[in-house]
Amino acid sequence: MKKSTIVFFIFLLLSFTNLAQNTSAAPINLSQGIYNVRDINLPIGSPVTARINDPNGRVIIFVIDNNQYMRELTRLDSQSNEQTLKPFNYGYSVIIFGNTPVTFS
């Protein structure tokens, strides 16, 4: 009985450790389009960094809240290829307009 309890607790410890490692935020690459923040799994309540890797690329990012008010407008180009965006809330939408993919991290 004692051995099975110890094995069970070790199994639980390993499974929770594995679960904590899987929840880390991986970079998300998005091209031109309209996206719901919840659908693309962007973090809610913490700042997000948007960047382009193409030195000749240009992108405009609009952040719209659930009442259709513009919360943020950002332009990424060769001069400023990385920008930190304000924290997102549920119901926000992101509109990406440009010729190169954007990486959110």
Side-chain angles (χ1 to χ4, degrees), residues 29-35 40 59-62 94-102 104:
N29 292 322
L30 300 174
S31 58
Q32 182 170 317
I34 301 172
Y35 303 94
I40 56 176
V59 173
I60 296 175
I61 301 171
F62 300 96
V94 176
I95 302 171
I96 300 172
F97 182 74
N99 61 357
T100 186
V102 178
F104 291 95

Side-chain angles (χ1 to χ4, degrees), residues 5-75:
T5 306
I6 292 172
V7 170
F8 177 72
F9 282 120
I10 290 173
F11 173 75
L12 280 178
L13 177 69
L14 291 175
S15 64
F16 284 129
T17 304
N18 191 19
L19 181 65
Q21 291 174 354
N22 291 338
T23 59
S24 63
I28 299 170
N29 292 322
L30 300 174
S31 58
Q32 182 170 317
I34 301 172
Y35 303 94
N36 187 335
V37 171
R38 187 180 293 179
D39 293 341
I40 56 176
N41 295 325
L42 285 174
I44 303 296
S46 62
V48 176
T49 301
R51 103 174 39 92
I52 58 173
N53 295 326
D54 185 6
N56 298 322
R58 291 186 195 154
V59 173
I60 296 175
I61 301 171
F62 300 96
V63 179
I64 311 293
D65 69 2
N66 52 354
N67 292 324
Q68 286 80 35
Y69 289 113
M70 187 178 346
R71 291 295 174 191
E72 194 163 359
L73 171 67
T74 302
R75 180 178 178 188

